[in-house]
Amino acid sequence: MFSQSEENYIKTIYHLAAISDKGISTNSIAKKLNTKASSVTDMIKKLSDKEVVVYKKYQGVTLTDFGKKTAANIIRKHRLWEVFLVEKLDFSWDEVHEVAEQLEHIKSPKLIDELDSFLGYPKRDPHGDPIPDKEGNLPQIQKSLLATLEKNEKGVCVGVNDTSSEFLRFLDKQEIGLGQDIEVLDKEPFDDSYLVKINGKEMTISNKVANNIYIQKN
Amino acid sequence: MFSQSEENYIKTIYHLAAISDKGISTNSIAKKLNTKASSVTDMIKKLSDKEVVVYKKYQGVTLTDFGKKTAANIIRKHRLWEVFLVEKLDFSWDEVHEVAEQLEHIKSPKLIDELDSFLGYPKRDPHGDPIPDKEGNLPQIQKSLLATLEKNEKGVCVGVNDTSSEFLRFLDKQEIGLGQDIEVLDKEPFDDSYLVKINGKEMTISNKVANNIYIQKN
DNA sequence: AATAATTTTTAGGCTTATCTAAAAATTATT
DNA sequence: AATAATTTTTAGATAAGCCTAAAAATTATT
């Protein structure tokens, strides 16, 4: 059984490993967790003793298979709770993160499986991210950044990269959401902005925005 | 904002105060929380600094109004989560306590009110205990122990005193539950047991059991 | 390759919440 | 009332998780 703090480290290492494929540096963990490198070193030693990570001084850490499974389980809980909050308690997608951060640490053999069943075994969380199954398998969904679309290519919005409430509220304001059809009508070389049609509505979106929306090409 | 540990002390003092009406002793808190008297003294000092309790050395503690409101809020969360677990996630009434102990510490301005609404503003938890409202008001329900019924008196089962899973599972086995009609057919002086009719079924129950079932006379 | 810059680790402290053991105060008993 | 028993508090430790500052190792730059 892991403490909340340990779980937060495990989850963070998992997320960082998903982008970097090298050993995860002490500093990057510290940055993500808003803590100090020295605290990370301490915790890493503990997680290494518990065989959650492989650690060699000055070389960053890697999750063991056990560590990966543990991480997937925490993420499963986090995302299922997010679905619950949005579907059942009328939270909007920019409000769920903070609460799910707390709920993901609840320990109960029965709770999560019942919640999963209650929610109808959802495959994605409110931001389009896949929900790991009981065994910790996370179906890797094929998705691309909207920014990779060429002129006249089309796709469906399937996720977001930035999940900050600022960005999510911005998307709400623009009426951009999951499941919507997106077509790139033109790309503007001057500022790398995009002229797009989203759900039938024409609009211009910045390069930054285009780099934070995931689509599935069609 | 209080730590989980502080919240547990506050809740415990509240529950003890509900039975004893005198100042709550250090030892009684220690016993309930499975901790040592010295730890209780430490925590009491802290809660006193935070104006949650009134404390004079060697004289036990009393909750302030602020403390009572805080306690009611924790209990509100605990009981609403219990309703959720039973009504929505198919937990039985003997399985909910442990998980609710964890869930009651989740901090979110929005979560509990939405949960309350989602559950249809329940008035009682699965054990028949009243759920405090937002303001911390706890409707005091008029109830008596089954043991106080005389021969030929009738009532409805509205709660339990002992909420241990052993007792609750025993009640399930006997098919005794909330809302059921109970009539005392006879009292046996030899062992102070009761011959009762519960939901149309005649049975004998021990004095101990009769002292752990709450009824409303009718 | 030597030096500079950066990253990581170590050393030593702090806070929270716990503990044991001993001292102090209160309550009960003779 | 004096002594015994009990309760409560104090004193001093411990563990988890964090911190700052300094040392050590690694990486980058000249």
Side-chain angles (χ1 to χ4, degrees), chain A residues 104-121:
Chain A
E104 74 189 4
H105 300 297
I106 302 292
K107 266 110 183 153
S108 162
K110 192 175 183 178
L111 179 59
I112 282 303
D113 291 335
E114 290 289 345
L115 184 63
D116 193 18
S117 151
F118 178 60
L119 297 172
Y121 307 102

Side-chain angles (χ1 to χ4, degrees), chain B residues 3 5 35-36 38-39 42 46 58:
Chain B
S3 71
S5 191
T35 182
K36 302 293 151 152
S38 54
S39 308
D42 284 351
K46 196 161 42 134
Y58 294 97

Side-chain angles (χ1 to χ4, degrees), chain A residues 44-62:
Chain A
I44 276 171
K45 281 178 190 163
K46 198 163 39 137
L47 292 179
S48 179
D49 289 346
K50 294 192 175 185
E51 310 206 317
V52 174
V53 299
V54 175
Y55 167 59
K56 276 193 193 133
K57 275 189 190 175
Y58 294 97
Q59 286 179 219
V61 291
T62 328

Side-chain angles (χ1 to χ4, degrees), chain B residues 60-71:
Chain B
V61 291
T62 328
L63 287 170
T64 62
D65 283 353
F66 171 54
K68 280 178 201 160
K69 199 165 173 178
T70 304

Side-chain angles (χ1 to χ4, degrees), chain B residues 172-204:
Chain B
D172 282 343
K173 207 158 55 190
Q174 305 294 313
E175 296 178 311
I176 300 170
L178 299 189
Q180 295 181 347
D181 290 318
I182 299 187
E183 178 178 2
V184 173
L185 301 174
D186 206 0
K187 294 168 84 166
E188 174 54 54
F190 175 66
D191 61 357
D192 294 313
S193 64
Y194 295 73
L195 179 64
V196 294
K197 187 156 74 177
I198 298 185
N199 247 21
K201 211 171 106 188
E202 260 183 49
M203 61 180 93
T204 298

Side-chain angles (χ1 to χ4, degrees), chain A residues 3 5 35-36 38-39 42 46 58:
Chain A
S3 71
S5 191
T35 184
K36 301 292 151 160
S38 54
S39 308
D42 283 352
K46 198 163 39 137
Y58 294 97

